[in-house]
Amino acid sequence: HIFPQADDEHANVALSDGPLTIREAMQGEDAVKWERAMQEEYDSLIANGTWQLTPIPKDRNPIGCKWVFRAKRDVSGNVVRHKARLVAKGFAQVHGVDFHETFAPVAKFTTIRCILAIGAAMDLEIHQMDVKTAFLNGDLEEDIYMVQPEGFVQQGNEHLVCKLQKSLYGLKQSPRAWYQKIDTFLLAHGFTRSIADHSLYFMQQGQHVVIVII
């Protein structure tokens, strides 16, 4: 062995958190659970209007996509959920065709530390929340075409591709599209964006100040 036995064991545990391909998922002992996870993800994508099927324009090539599988574990290491996510192969996108700008600001650690320190010193309430499938809330400005996901190709429409309406995970512009969406929402609801950190928003409500970090 190149690595010590203990490292091999840890590596095997990490790799066992999910199959690498849909074929591997369907041939494993948890095939039913992975299939259910894929169906839930697909239903969510369809309900969100993520794409519409359309013929591919002659001057365009569709990008690919793949299923990513992860087994969510609790603090004891027990599997509590099987999760499947459809990810676009953004590495195949062409600048100026499939995407233009990709930059999106990220909260600075200094900002987070300052907010936590102020909250602790003043005994303030701090809430953390997670937006489910956040990137799917972003709207695309470009026309992006993607092949139909493996396992869910519609019979009779095999020649059609997915014209994306929402920013799917894996796309180069997805973080930017999500930021633009949440930025527009917060500003419309009375928040002010900080000049020092564009991921920090605040709003005065009487004697109280509401602060949001995204």
Side-chain angles (χ1 to χ4, degrees):
H1 295 286
I2 299 178
F3 302 102
Q5 183 64 32
D7 290 343
D8 285 344
E9 292 176 355
H10 286 304
N12 290 336
V13 170
L15 291 175
S16 66
D17 278 346
L20 299 179
T21 65
I22 188 173
R23 175 175 295 182
E24 183 179 338
M26 294 300 99
Q27 292 178 345
E29 59 181 11
D30 290 333
V32 174
K33 296 177 181 179
W34 291 123
E35 185 176 3
R36 185 184 303 118
M38 291 170 59
Q39 188 64 56
E40 291 177 357
E41 172 76 355
Y42 181 80
D43 291 343
S44 177
L45 293 172
I46 296 301
N48 199 56
T50 308
W51 65 67
Q52 62 180 14
L53 294 181
T54 182
I56 182 71
K58 294 182 179 180
D59 60 339
R60 298 294 299 274
N61 292 317
I63 63 175
C65 60
K66 69 170 297 184
W67 288 100
V68 177
F69 304 95
R70 288 291 182 272
K72 301 292 185 177
R73 300 177 181 273
D74 58 19
V75 294
S76 300
N78 301 313
V79 176
V80 295
R81 184 187 178 193
H82 291 72
K83 182 176 179 60
R85 172 163 285 170
L86 184 67
V87 178
K89 296 182 178 180
F91 59 81
Q93 290 182 260
V94 178
H95 183 263
V97 178
D98 298 313
F99 73 97
H100 295 88
E101 298 184 50
T102 61
F103 175 77
V106 178
K108 300 177 181 178
F109 283 116
T110 302
T111 300
I112 297 175
R113 286 195 291 265
C114 286
I115 296 301
L116 292 177
I118 293 173
M122 302 182 65
D123 193 26
L124 302 177
E125 289 190 9
I126 298 178
H127 299 274
Q128 179 183 351
M129 62 171 290
D130 178 47
V131 179
K132 186 177 181 181
T133 58
F135 283 2
L136 295 183
N137 292 282
D139 298 314
L140 290 174
E141 298 176 352
E142 303 85 1
D143 290 334
I144 301 179
Y145 300 90
M146 183 186 75
V147 299
Q148 295 187 52
E150 184 179 1
F152 294 88
V153 178
Q154 291 192 9
Q155 292 185 355
N157 290 322
E158 294 85 352
H159 62 291
L160 301 180
V161 297
C162 302
K163 182 179 180 182
L164 298 181
Q165 309 294 318
K166 300 290 183 179
S167 56
L168 195 65
Y169 282 86
L171 295 179
K172 293 182 179 296
Q173 65 268 57
S174 288
R176 177 180 175 83
W178 159 242
Y179 174 79
Q180 290 178 323
K181 190 76 170 186
I182 189 66
D183 175 74
T184 300
F185 175 85
L186 291 174
L187 295 180
H189 284 74
F191 282 86
T192 299
R193 183 175 56 237
S194 170
I195 299 176
D197 187 342
H198 285 184
S199 293
L200 174 65
Y201 297 77
F202 56 90
M203 178 174 60
Q204 185 82 33
Q205 289 185 333
Q207 296 181 344
H208 302 283
V209 177
V210 180
I211 298 176
V212 175
I213 302 176
I214 60 175

